[in-house]
């Protein structure tokens, strides 16, 4: 639709293109709230920034007039308004748009006393505004008292329209004396009602605003959640109309007059008297009417007769009206003119007036940008028939960001920079893994706990240090060829583990091929073999007469190597045929004693290093024959059965998208959800179950007050959500599901919120918690978190002390190298190895740096230092495999003098072996000694540097900054930084490109 700006109202010039500030502290202060809704808000996620802003016009003399910023959020009953919501998702690391263009929602709000002419003007001007923005906006008709939840979410906790309007000279009350008012809270709507006892009832919640005190009257039939939400309105009234200085009282319906505050409340109504029963009204009438489709012809709606609603009924050159009862949709084809769209909107208004249902919502959508509710009305709708989006939207975002001083270079390019997802979990914890066989499970030794089979199911329990307590993640992993019996058993046994830990751990359900980054980061090096050992799997292939392809070291096997680095690398066994190759990956092929490594032309040196690390785990001590794509030997192709075509594109995975939060009810196997727009932590009610949908992952949050029986249904709720696909986003039925318990939320869940951990450990139900905050000025009574002692299932019964938390390497004298370590270091490690003293619940991590520590005096069983050094020296004379890519190992030149220990347990072999622990990172709260380290400028240390520094520990780039530049970049001195939890350190480093 080509539209000249001369056809549009001049008030819309530059609409949606204001320069918005990056961040606001949201408070209840009127000025701050006004500022927020005028300009913008940014929801900061560690990698995604949700960019959003609002602009508002009021209709005056049939023209839209921008209202002053101080009036945002204030509406008058005699006026009509046009409200524009602008939003988009911007990647904070690459400044690249996720959606490619700004998203627009336009609402026209009609006060109950507005004239029909003003209402009609607002409807027409909304169409014009959409045209000015490029013709992609969704447009909503909002009627006072019946607004959509999306509209109300812009003005949390509520809007409270005032009497008057521009036509009446703004005859709203500005009385010097406070006027006592009575409000009723109906869902998310707040309505001013007559100040009389007859207005009260048992079903709703009422707020009585007096000069010195605000009373909240809770009808006996109201829910705890409704009462808690009403308190947010009380807080708003207190801050807005009382400058935050007045008393708050909660009155329970049916409470006797003996209570002083109850007596005071009823005194305003002339004394206590029984309340009348709420009578049925128009709101109780059913809106369950047949859906009807109309075609707009010359401004009139003509009905279309059809057996079923399908997408094919809609012509791109026409406008249509879809009557769904309480909602009426106007669908506008891409090729329709501005006048045709105005005509279609007018026809929908006439239809609503003819039905005598002025409170119905009218929603206008453009072809290619239909909402989920609209598409769901049709019996069939083609999956994502993508409409080309012009670069115009990208250009507007680039202009907005440029005004903020953001580097927008490359923003208009289609190809985004390479991104690696972050795990947001401490990877220095303790891991235990069990293989499931029917109703039994077998604990795997550390050497096998990262080696899975496609025909089996596994259970894992991971404990890791949280901010102030130990955190847990219990999960089940289903191989692609595993049988249902094992899957059900794995789920049941994992759930019992969670229940035995009093529902404190987060629980995960993971399918092979859909593993999240948290899973890979926990295991670090992960291998998936073909076949399986489960009795159920063996029976299945026998019944189907299928060959048993279970991996053997002597047979032929091809592995695809993938991952982003040593902390996240996988080897996946695939069919040993040429078509399994891919130019974007490296592979390991072995048959008997013959080993090949194949490097695709699109792989990097980092990818090739991962091959060497995985080779040490799959075929240690063996010489490989490197094969570069295009120069393979005939023997290589013979093992694969000959040459054939193969792909070159990387295997795609579902990307994380904008998060959506839903409240849920689950009864008799039926799941119902309601989306919560512009959500925050305060929307999570302790009595309910909520679902956070990120497309690639689904989180089921369970409140503390949910009963144990319903807690056990949490995983089923997640599965039902994937099955129903409420947003029609083609969710995978095998997407990871996390069950998260209130008070034990992991960082990879809380990152989607501005999180206050104190709120999740408060006493009481939702109403009691919020009442304590409102009354006490935001000082809640908290449960003091305690460090929990984990329950072990067949492994160790206790965790190591805090000083031992860095994951230790399990050494093996028979192995030449483990995960890319040099032969020299392995010789030293093997000399000190004692199998009985190892950390038996953690896999070997990547080697980065050696920190020798003191050895206790009674370490006679250990070799002397001179013996160890001799072993180290002699190892340098041993031949090395040419294809290995060893990583450097730094050895401290001097070992501190040992101190005698008093406690014999502390002198154990375990504590002495810790003297040679390869630490993943410096312990929490303990800064590494940086004396003697060279200093480099930030521009050379960041990962995107064009002149990077070499020969440094790339995991600790920040340690090479000068103290002055460190404080400038991080906003704190080095010692304060090292006291932060590890995940917070990593978050700051990522933002500065030092991670």
């Amino acid at each position: 639709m080509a539209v000249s700006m001369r056809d549009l109202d001049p008030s819309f010039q530059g609409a949606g293109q204001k320069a918005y500030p990056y961040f606001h502290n949201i408070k209840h202060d009127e000025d701050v709230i006004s500022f927020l809704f005028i300009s913008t808000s940014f929801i900061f996620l560690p990698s995604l920034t949700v960019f959003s802003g609002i602009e508002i016009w009021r209709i005056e003399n049939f023209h839209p007039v921008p209202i002053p910023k101080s009036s945002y959020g204030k509406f008058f009953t005699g006026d009509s308004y046009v409200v524009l919501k602008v939003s988009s998702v911007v990647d904070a690391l690459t400044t690249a748009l996720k959606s490619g263009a700004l998203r627009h929602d336009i609402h026209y709000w009609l006060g109950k006393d507005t004239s029909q002419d003003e209402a009609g003007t607002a409807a027409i001007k909304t169409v014009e505004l959409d045209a000015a923005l490029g013709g992609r906006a969704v447009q909503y008709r909002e009627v006072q008292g019946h607004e959509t939840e999306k509209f109300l979410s812009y003005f949390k906790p509520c809007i409270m329209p005032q009497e008057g309007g521009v036509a009446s000279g703004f005859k709203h009350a500005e009385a010097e004396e406070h006027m006592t008012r009575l409000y009723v809270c109906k869902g998310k709507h707040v309505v001013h009602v007559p100040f009389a006892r007859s207005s009260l009832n048992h079903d709703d919640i009422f707020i009585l605003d007096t000069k010195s005190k605000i009373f909240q009257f809770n009808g006996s039939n109201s829910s705890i959640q409704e009462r808690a939400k009403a308190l947010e309105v009380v807080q708003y009234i207190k801050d807005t109309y009382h400058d935050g200085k007045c008393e708050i009282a909660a009155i329970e319906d049916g409470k006797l007059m003996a209570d002083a505050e109850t007596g005071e409340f009823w005194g305003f109504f002339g004394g206590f008297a029984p309340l009348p029963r709420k009578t049925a009204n128009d709101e109780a009438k059913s809106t369950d009417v047949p859906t009807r489709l109309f075609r707009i012809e010359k401004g009139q709606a003509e009905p279309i007769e059809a057996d079923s609603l399908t997408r094919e009924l809609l012509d791109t050159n026409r406008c249509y009206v879809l009557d769904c009862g309480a909602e009426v949709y106007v669908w506008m084809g891409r090729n329709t003119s501005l006048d045709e769209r105005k005509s279609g909107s007018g026809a929908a208004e006439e239809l609503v007036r003819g039905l005598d249902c002025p409170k119905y919502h009218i929603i206008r959508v453009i072809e290619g940008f239909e909402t989920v509710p609209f598409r769901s009305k049709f019996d069939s709708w083609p999956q994502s028939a993508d409409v080309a989006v012009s670069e115009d939207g990208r250009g507007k975002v680039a202009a907005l960001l440029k005004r903020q001083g953001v580097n927008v270079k490359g923003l208009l390019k289609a190809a985004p920079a390479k991104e690696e997802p972050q795990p947001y979990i401490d990877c220095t914890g303790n891991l235990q893994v069990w293989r499931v066989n029917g109703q039994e499970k077998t604990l795997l030794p550390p050497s096998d706990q990262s080696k899975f089979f496609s025909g089996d199911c596994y259970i894992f329990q991971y404990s890791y240090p949280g901010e102030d307590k130990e955190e847990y993640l219990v999960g089940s992993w289903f191989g692609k060829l595993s049988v249902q019996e094992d899957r059900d058993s794995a789920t049941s046994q994992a759930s019992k583990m969670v229940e035995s830990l009093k529902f404190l751990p987060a629980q995960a359900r993971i399918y092979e091929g859909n593993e999240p980054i948290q899973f890979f980061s926990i295991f670090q090096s992960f291998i998936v073999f073909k076949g399986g050992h489960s009795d159920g799997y063996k029976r299945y292939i026998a019944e189907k007469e299928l060959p048993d392809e279970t991996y053997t070291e002597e047979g032929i096997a091809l592995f695809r190597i993938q991952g982003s680095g040593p902390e996240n690398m996988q080897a996946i066994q695939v069919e040993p045929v040429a078509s399994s190759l891919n130019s974007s990956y490296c592979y390991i092929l072995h048959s008997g004693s013959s080993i090949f490594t194949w490097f695709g032309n699109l792989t990097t040196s980092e990818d090739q290093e991962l091959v060497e690390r995985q080779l040490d785990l799959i075929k240690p001590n063996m010489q490989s024959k490197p094969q570069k794509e295009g120069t393979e030997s005939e023997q290589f192709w013979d093992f694969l059965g000959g040459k054939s075509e193969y792909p070159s594109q990387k295997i795609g995975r579902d990307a994380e998208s904008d998060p959506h939060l839903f409240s849920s009810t689950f009864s008799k196997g039926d799941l119902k959800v309601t989306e919560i727009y512009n959500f925050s932590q305060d929307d999570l009610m302790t009595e309910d179950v909520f679902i956070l949908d990120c497309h690639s992952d689904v989180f089921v949050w369970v409140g503390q007050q949910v009963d144990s029986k319903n807690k056990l249904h949490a995983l089923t709720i997640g599965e039902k959500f994937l099955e129903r696909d409420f947003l029609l986003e083609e969710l995978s039925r095998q997407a990871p599901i996390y069950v998260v318990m209130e008070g034990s939320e992991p960082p990879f869940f809380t990152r989607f919120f501005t999180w206050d951990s104190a709120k999740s450990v408060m006493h009481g139900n939702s109403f009691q918690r919020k009442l304590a905050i409102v009354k006490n000025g935001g000082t809640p009574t908290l449960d003091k978190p305690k460090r929990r002692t984990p329950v072990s299932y067949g492994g160790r019964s206790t965790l190591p002390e805090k000083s031992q938390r860095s994951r230790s390497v399990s050494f093996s004298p028979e192995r030449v190298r483990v995960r890319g370590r040099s032969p020299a270091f392995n010789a030293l490690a093997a000399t000190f190895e004692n199998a009985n003293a190892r950390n038996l619940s953690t896999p070997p991590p990547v080697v980065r740096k050696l920190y020798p520590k003191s050895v206790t005096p009674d370490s006679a069983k250990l070799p002397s230092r001179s013996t160890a050094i001799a072993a180290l020296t002699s190892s340098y004379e041993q031949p090395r495999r040419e294809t290995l890519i060893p990583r450097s190992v730094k050895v401290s030149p001097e070992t501190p003098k040992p101190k005698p220990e008093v406690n014999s347990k502390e002198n154990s072999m375990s504590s002495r072996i810790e003297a040679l622990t390869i630490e993943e990172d410096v312990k929490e709260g303990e800064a590494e000694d940086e004396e003697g380290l060279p200093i480099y400028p930030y521009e050379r240390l960041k990962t995107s540097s064009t002149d990077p520094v070499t020969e440094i520990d790339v995991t600790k780039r920040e340690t090479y900054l000068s103290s002055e530049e460190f404080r400038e970049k991080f906003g704190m001195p080095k010692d304060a930084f090292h006291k932060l939890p590890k995940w917070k350190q990593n978050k700051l480093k990522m933002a500065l490109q030092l991670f």
Side-chain angles (χ1 to χ4, degrees):
M1 177 185 68
V3 179
S4 171
M5 290 304 295
R6 289 176 298 180
D7 300 329
L8 306 178
D9 197 292
S11 296
F12 294 144
Q13 295 277 352
Q17 300 184 49
K18 291 185 177 180
Y20 300 139
Y22 268 150
F23 179 74
H24 308 284
N25 289 318
I26 301 174
K27 300 179 181 178
H28 287 284
D29 180 77
E30 180 177 326
D31 294 333
V32 178
I33 288 180
S34 299
F35 179 57
L36 173 67
F37 291 117
I38 299 163
S39 30
T40 188
S41 62
F42 275 78
I43 303 171
F44 278 100
L45 309 183
S47 61
L48 295 180
T49 302
V50 181
F51 170 87
S52 63
I54 286 182
E55 296 179 50
I56 302 179
W57 297 261
R58 181 176 53 239
I59 302 301
E60 298 181 13
N61 297 322
F62 307 106
H63 292 285
V65 177
I67 67 174
K69 296 180 178 182
S70 59
S71 296
Y72 270 57
K74 297 179 181 178
F75 295 89
F76 292 91
T77 61
D79 289 333
S80 297
Y81 297 80
V82 176
V83 178
L84 168 64
K85 174 67 181 295
V86 185
S87 61
S88 187
V89 176
V90 179
D91 188 289
L93 299 181
T94 65
T95 322
L97 285 184
K98 291 288 181 180
S99 55
L102 290 170
R103 293 198 298 266
H104 301 115
D105 290 292
I106 307 174
H107 306 255
Y108 60 104
W109 185 88
L110 310 177
K112 65 181 180 64
D113 300 324
T114 191
S115 68
Q116 186 171 324
D117 289 340
E118 281 190 349
T121 301
I124 296 302
K125 293 303 178 181
T126 298
V127 178
E128 290 186 11
L129 177 57
D130 172 52
L133 296 168
R136 295 189 289 267
V138 180
Q139 304 159 43
Y140 302 84
R141 176 180 184 260
E142 309 284 356
V143 178
Q144 180 184 340
H146 300 272
E147 298 87 354
T148 62
E149 292 199 6
K150 173 172 280 192
F151 179 80
L152 292 175
S153 73
Y154 306 154
F155 306 100
K156 288 185 175 181
C158 64
I159 61 172
M160 303 178 71
Q162 302 178 40
E163 295 294 326
V166 66
S168 59
F170 290 99
K171 293 186 299 183
H172 55 278
E174 291 288 354
E176 295 181 3
E177 290 296 325
H178 185 278
M179 183 179 293
T180 299
R181 290 184 175 89
L182 182 66
Y183 302 91
V184 60
C185 298
K186 296 184 177 182
K188 295 185 179 179
H189 297 87
V190 180
V191 181
H192 179 220
V193 295
F195 175 32
R197 184 192 294 110
S198 59
S199 296
L200 304 175
N201 60 60
H202 298 290
D203 300 300
D204 297 318
I205 297 170
F206 295 83
I207 298 173
L208 179 63
D209 179 19
T210 72
K211 184 176 181 179
S212 60
K213 185 178 289 189
I214 302 174
F215 298 86
Q216 176 171 316
F217 176 82
N218 300 320
S220 57
N221 297 331
S222 62
S223 69
I224 292 174
Q225 296 91 322
E226 290 172 329
R227 299 176 186 188
K229 280 297 179 185
L231 279 172
E232 296 178 4
V233 180
V234 170
Q235 182 71 59
Y236 172 76
I237 295 174
K238 175 182 177 181
D239 294 340
T240 305
Y241 300 106
H242 297 269
D243 296 326
K245 299 174 183 178
C246 72
E247 296 182 49
I248 305 296
I251 309 301
E252 297 300 323
D253 185 8
K255 197 169 186 180
L256 298 178
M257 293 278 290
D259 180 86
E261 289 185 333
T262 301
E264 184 181 358
F265 171 79
W266 286 112
F268 285 97
F269 296 92
F272 174 80
L275 299 181
R277 293 287 178 182
K278 189 175 182 180
T279 58
N281 52 30
D282 293 339
E283 296 173 7
K285 293 180 180 179
S286 173
T287 57
D288 186 15
V289 297
T291 300
R292 300 180 297 167
L293 182 65
F294 299 85
R295 179 174 53 243
I296 304 302
E297 291 284 357
K298 298 180 180 179
Q300 300 297 316
E302 297 183 355
I304 296 177
E305 300 296 334
D307 295 332
S308 63
L309 285 177
T310 62
R311 171 62 177 85
E312 289 71 26
L313 293 173
L314 306 178
D315 182 358
T316 188
N317 299 300
R318 293 181 179 274
C319 293
Y320 297 82
V321 173
L322 184 66
D323 177 15
C324 304
E327 295 174 330
V328 175
Y329 292 91
V330 181
W331 184 89
M332 298 175 279
R334 295 288 295 175
N335 295 332
T336 55
S337 67
L338 179 60
D339 288 338
E340 287 173 323
R341 296 184 181 186
K342 290 181 179 180
S343 179
S345 299
E349 295 278 353
E350 287 294 334
L351 179 64
V352 169
R353 280 195 291 268
L355 295 172
D356 193 25
C357 296
K359 299 172 183 177
Y360 280 9
H361 295 140
I362 296 178
I363 303 170
R364 304 192 289 242
V365 297
I366 309 297
E367 178 186 1
F369 299 90
E370 297 88 351
T371 63
V372 170
F374 176 81
R375 286 184 280 141
S376 67
K377 306 297 182 183
F378 288 74
D379 297 326
S380 63
W381 193 276
Q383 292 291 347
S384 61
D386 293 332
V387 176
V389 177
S390 70
E391 291 294 309
D392 180 57
R394 290 174 182 263
K396 289 181 179 179
V397 177
L400 289 173
L401 296 176
K402 191 173 182 179
R403 293 174 197 172
Q404 302 300 317
V406 177
N407 181 11
V408 296
K409 182 179 180 181
L411 179 61
L412 300 179
K413 297 181 181 179
K418 181 181 178 182
E419 302 173 38
E420 292 295 343
Q422 300 300 322
Y424 305 105
I425 189 171
D426 190 303
C427 297
T428 64
N430 293 266
L431 178 68
Q432 292 176 298
V433 181
W434 297 261
R435 180 187 294 123
V436 174
N437 186 7
Q439 299 303 311
E440 300 177 352
K441 65 180 187 290
T442 303
L443 180 66
L444 299 181
S447 58
D448 292 337
Q449 63 184 10
S450 61
K451 299 176 181 178
F452 285 20
F453 286 80
S454 284
D456 293 333
C457 293
Y458 297 82
I459 300 171
F460 63 92
Q461 176 181 305
Y462 181 65
S463 60
Y464 58 98
E467 194 167 356
D468 53 13
K469 60 182 183 293
E470 212 68 37
E471 303 291 352
Y472 305 96
L473 176 62
V474 172
S476 51
W477 183 92
F478 303 153
K480 287 182 177 179
L481 300 179
S482 60
V483 296
Q484 192 62 44
E485 176 191 0
D486 288 343
R487 294 181 181 185
D488 293 342
S489 176
T491 300
S492 174
Q493 294 188 67
S495 297
K496 289 178 180 177
M497 287 184 181
V498 173
E499 188 176 4
S500 68
L501 286 166
K502 299 181 180 179
F503 295 101
L504 293 175
Q507 184 176 356
R509 187 218 64 179
I510 298 169
Y511 278 89
E512 178 187 350
N514 288 272
E515 296 91 349
I517 182 63
Q518 291 82 15
F519 179 85
F520 284 147
S521 298
I522 289 171
F523 283 85
Q524 298 187 351
S525 175
F526 186 67
I527 304 174
V528 179
F529 297 106
K530 294 174 71 70
H533 298 284
S534 161
D535 293 341
Y537 171 75
K538 298 296 186 183
R539 285 195 301 270
Y540 171 78
I541 60 175
E543 292 171 0
K544 299 292 184 179
E545 298 182 352
L546 300 174
D548 189 349
E549 297 181 324
T550 302
Y551 172 81
T552 61
E553 293 186 1
E554 297 76 21
I556 184 171
L558 179 66
F559 294 89
R560 181 181 71 246
I561 309 302
Q562 61 190 38
S564 60
E567 301 85 0
N568 170 21
M569 58 180 181
Q570 303 88 47
I572 311 299
Q573 187 178 358
V574 295
E575 288 293 327
V577 293
S579 60
S580 295
L581 299 175
N582 187 312
S583 300
S584 295
Y585 295 94
C586 299
Y587 291 79
I588 295 173
L589 172 66
H590 74 71
S591 180
S593 59
S594 299
I595 304 174
F596 297 89
T597 51
W598 186 85
F599 307 104
N601 285 332
L602 300 180
T603 59
T604 64
S605 58
E606 290 82 2
D607 297 328
Q608 295 166 17
E609 180 180 355
L610 297 185
V611 171
E612 292 300 323
R613 294 179 178 276
Q614 291 288 19
L615 190 61
D616 284 337
L617 300 175
I618 296 173
K619 280 289 185 178
N621 310 327
M622 300 290 286
Q623 182 74 31
S624 69
K625 301 175 183 178
Q627 307 284 304
K628 182 69 176 175
E629 182 178 5
T631 62
E632 299 88 350
S633 64
E634 288 298 324
Q635 185 184 17
F636 174 82
W637 291 120
D638 288 343
F639 279 130
L640 294 179
K643 296 182 180 181
S644 69
E645 292 186 357
Y646 51 82
S648 59
Q649 296 294 322
K650 278 210 167 188
I651 300 172
R653 301 178 67 91
D654 284 343
E656 183 177 282
S657 64
D658 302 359
H660 296 264
L661 183 68
F662 299 84
S663 61
S664 70
T665 55
F666 184 68
S667 177
K668 298 180 180 178
D670 183 34
L671 176 66
K672 295 181 180 179
V673 300
T674 302
E675 183 168 4
I676 300 172
Y677 300 98
N678 297 308
F679 63 83
S680 68
Q681 181 184 358
D682 289 336
D683 290 309
L684 301 175
M685 296 287 187
T686 187
E687 298 81 15
D688 293 329
V689 176
F690 292 82
I691 300 169
L692 184 67
D693 172 20
C694 308
H695 187 73
S696 59
D697 310 270
V698 169
F699 297 84
V700 180
W701 183 91
V702 183
Q704 292 282 10
Q705 300 286 327
V706 174
D707 62 68
S708 298
K709 183 178 179 181
N710 288 331
K711 286 180 180 179
L712 295 174
H713 291 151
L715 195 57
T716 303
I717 290 173
E719 293 171 342
K720 284 287 184 181
F721 184 86
L722 292 177
E723 178 185 335
R724 296 286 298 276
D725 193 10
F726 290 95
L727 293 181
L728 304 181
E729 53 183 327
E730 301 180 61
L731 284 176
S732 169
R733 297 282 293 274
Q734 297 185 352
I737 298 174
Y738 293 99
V739 176
V740 176
M741 296 296 167
E742 181 184 14
S744 300
E745 294 89 349
F748 51 88
F749 172 80
T750 58
R751 68 190 181 95
F752 295 104
F753 301 80
T754 301
W755 195 260
D756 181 358
S757 57
K759 289 183 178 180
S760 61
V761 293
M762 290 181 66
H763 292 295
N765 58 39
S766 299
F767 173 70
Q768 293 167 337
R769 295 180 184 187
K770 290 197 175 182
L771 183 61
I773 293 176
V774 172
K775 281 191 169 185
N776 302 329
T779 308
T781 303
L782 304 179
D783 286 318
K784 180 67 177 178
K786 297 179 181 179
R787 186 168 300 279
R788 302 184 292 265
T789 303
V791 176
S792 179
Y793 295 87
R796 298 181 305 151
S797 59
T798 57
L799 290 172
E801 295 299 322
K802 184 173 182 179
S803 62
Q804 295 175 306
R805 276 199 184 121
S806 294
R807 297 175 72 172
S808 303
V809 175
S810 298
F811 301 121
S812 174
E814 293 79 24
R815 297 274 302 273
V816 175
R817 295 173 63 221
V818 177
R819 300 186 79 172
R821 294 202 303 266
S822 67
F825 179 77
N826 278 277
L828 177 62
T831 306
F832 283 86
E833 174 63 355
N834 182 335
N836 295 325
R838 288 183 295 169
N839 183 346
L840 298 179
S841 63
T842 56
V846 57
V847 176
R848 286 186 178 169
K849 189 180 288 188
L850 182 63
Y851 297 99
K853 298 181 180 179
S854 61
V855 181
T856 52
D858 61 339
S859 57
K861 296 181 181 179
L862 289 174
S864 65
R865 182 181 174 195
S866 59
T867 305
I869 298 302
L872 174 62
T873 305
S874 63
S875 67
Y876 283 108
E877 302 173 1
Q878 299 176 3
R880 298 174 66 184
R881 195 168 70 200
E882 293 182 359
T883 59
L884 297 181
I885 308 177
R887 303 192 65 175
S888 62
V889 179
K890 299 180 182 179
V891 182
S892 297
E894 188 174 325
T895 302
K897 185 177 179 179
K899 295 181 180 180
E901 301 289 345
V902 178
N903 192 324
S904 61
K905 292 183 179 180
E906 295 178 359
N907 292 333
S908 66
M909 183 67 72
S910 177
S911 62
R912 279 180 263 130
I913 290 298
E914 187 198 12
L916 289 170
T917 299
I918 309 297
E919 294 196 345
E920 186 80 16
D921 288 300
V922 179
K923 295 177 293 184
E924 269 185 37
E926 178 181 300
E928 181 185 357
D929 183 6
E930 296 170 6
E931 293 184 6
L933 285 180
I935 300 299
Y936 296 102
Y938 168 74
E939 292 300 324
R940 294 192 65 193
L941 289 170
K942 64 181 183 179
T943 55
S944 59
S945 174
T946 56
D947 181 25
V949 181
T950 58
E951 300 300 325
I952 63 169
D953 185 348
V954 295
T955 68
K956 299 184 181 299
R957 296 175 185 269
E958 73 281 2
T959 61
Y960 299 92
L961 289 169
S962 66
S963 298
E964 294 76 13
E965 194 165 19
F966 188 98
R967 182 186 290 272
E968 175 188 346
K969 297 298 181 183
F970 285 89
M972 65 184 76
K974 291 186 178 182
D975 57 347
F977 173 80
H978 289 301
K979 292 178 181 179
L980 296 175
K982 189 59 60 182
W983 68 271
K984 285 188 177 180
Q985 294 182 22
N986 292 340
K987 182 177 175 182
L988 292 172
K989 289 163 63 176
M990 281 187 287
L992 293 171
Q993 301 182 36
L994 293 173
F995 186 78

